[in-house]
């Protein structure tokens, strides 16, 4: 996903490149949306404000829309190119950053934040979570997803001396691991590290679930779906946390 942080000059050019992917799989988006819909409940007379931070091209919000009917979803991204594409899926979009002035929203004004495939792109994830915590009301929900460093196949790859999937050593090409697409990952988390990081940042972790990865080769996709039952080994980590 496109980052909502303010990256250094080289990364700014990278994320503004229209060829850089800004969307991830629908399977992850739908699982995350179901978790959020369960947490928020029906919109009723008082719809919640949901902030999709790092909304990319808006496809994740589009996938979630039927499950979040009645709630107001606002997309935020740093990349102007991503926001241009997001406007085809979202009625409300804002250009915002997670550092250097923060998000253009009042303190405690948001009921929930979707933070999908963003944290792995950030230079300063600590300041990012501080800013998300600021805009969330007390008891507000954070739905965060990120690739799992300890995914079942990464464990095997490391034993074989191969660079793990999702990790990158260059913005110019893939070296030492399967795949060919550069997406700008700077940080990767295990389930344990993510839980500890969220807790240290002022959130109470409600649940960490797993989701499949759309890039897994077709013959291995059934196994990847099975691995979701054990989030610590799943391809994608889905964290539901509450602002304390």
């Amino acid at each position: 996903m496109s980052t909502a942080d303010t990256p250094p000059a080289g990364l700014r050019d990278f994320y503004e490149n229209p060829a850089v992917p800004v969307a991830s799989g629908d399977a992850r988006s739908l699982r995350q949306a179901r978790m959020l819909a369960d947490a928020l409940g029906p919109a009723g007379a008082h719809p919640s404000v949901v902030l999709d931070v790092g909304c990319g091209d808006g496809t994740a919000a589009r996938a979630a829309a039927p499950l979040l009917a009645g709630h107001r979803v606002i997309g935020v991204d740093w990349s102007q190119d991503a926001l241009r594409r997001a406007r085809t899926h979202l009625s409300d979009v804002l250009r915002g950053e997670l550092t250097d002035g923060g998000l253009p929203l009042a303190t405690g004004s948001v009921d929930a934040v979707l933070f999908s495939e963003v944290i792995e792109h950030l230079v300063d994830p600590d300041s990012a979570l501080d800013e998300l915590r600021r805009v969330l009301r007390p008891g507000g929900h954070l739905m965060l997803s990120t690739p799992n460093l300890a995914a079942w196949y990464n464990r095997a790859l490391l034993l074989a001396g191969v660079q793990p999937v999702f990790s990158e050593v260059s913005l110019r090409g893939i070296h030492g691991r399967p795949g060919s697409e550069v997406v700008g990952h700077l940080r990767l988390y295990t389930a344990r590290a993510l839980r500890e990081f969220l807790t240290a940042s002022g959130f109470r972790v409600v649940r960490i679930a797993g989701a499949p990865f759309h890039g897994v080769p077709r013959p291995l996709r059934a196994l990847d779906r099975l691995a979701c039952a054990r989030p610590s080994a799943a391809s994608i980590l889905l964290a539901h946390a509450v602002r304390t």
Side-chain angles (χ1 to χ4, degrees), residues 5 10-11 52-53 56 65 69 78 116 121 127 148 161 183 210 222 224-225 232:
D5 197 1
L11 282 176
D52 185 358
V53 178
W78 175 86
S116 305
H121 298 269
S127 294
N148 184 8
V183 292
D224 193 44
R225 289 192 294 271
S232 62

Side-chain angles (χ1 to χ4, degrees), residues 20 22 31 38 45 72 76 95 139 146 155 157 161 163 165 178 180 182 198 223 237 240:
V20 173
V22 292
R31 288 183 185 223
D38 288 344
R72 183 187 178 192
V76 179
R95 188 175 190 274
T146 191
R155 301 181 189 205
L157 290 173
Q163 186 83 7
V165 175
S180 60
V182 180
L198 289 171
L223 182 57
L237 299 172
H240 173 200

Side-chain angles (χ1 to χ4, degrees), residues 13 35 50 52 67 89-90 100 126 128 138 142 176 194 197 202 206-207 212 216-217 224 239:
D13 293 339
M35 291 171 66
V50 179
D52 185 358
L67 297 170
H89 304 305
L90 288 165
D100 296 334
D126 300 278
L142 172 63
L194 183 60
F197 180 48
V206 176
R207 179 188 177 197
V216 168
D224 193 44

Side-chain angles (χ1 to χ4, degrees), residues 35-44 48 67-69 71 141:
M35 291 171 66
L36 180 55
D38 288 344
L40 293 177
S48 296
L67 297 170
L68 299 176
H71 297 295
H141 303 278

Side-chain angles (χ1 to χ4, degrees), residues 78-174:
W78 175 86
S79 167
Q80 294 282 22
D81 179 73
L83 288 175
R84 177 182 57 79
R85 288 182 271 174
R87 288 187 178 95
T88 64
H89 304 305
L90 288 165
S91 58
D92 294 320
V93 296
L94 298 171
R95 188 175 190 274
E97 303 170 357
L98 288 170
T99 57
D100 296 334
L103 298 169
L105 293 153
T107 297
S109 61
V110 172
D111 298 294
V113 167
L114 280 170
F115 203 44
S116 305
E117 318 290 301
V118 175
I119 198 168
E120 64 271 15
H121 298 269
L122 301 184
V123 175
D124 185 0
D126 300 278
S127 294
L129 285 191
D130 288 345
E131 182 62 3
L132 296 183
R133 190 173 184 276
R134 181 189 71 79
V135 300
L136 275 168
R137 64 168 174 77
H141 303 278
L142 172 63
M143 295 290 174
L144 182 155
S145 67
T146 191
N148 184 8
L149 175 61
W152 59 275
Y153 40 81
N154 280 345
R155 301 181 189 205
L157 290 173
L158 277 171
L159 285 174
V162 178
Q163 186 83 7
V165 175
F166 308 125
S167 66
E168 296 178 339
V169 299
S170 170
L171 294 179
R172 298 177 180 175
I174 295 298

Side-chain angles (χ1 to χ4, degrees), residues 189-200:
Y189 299 79
T190 64
R192 178 182 295 181
L194 183 60
R195 180 182 292 274
E196 291 182 4
F197 180 48
L198 289 171
T199 301

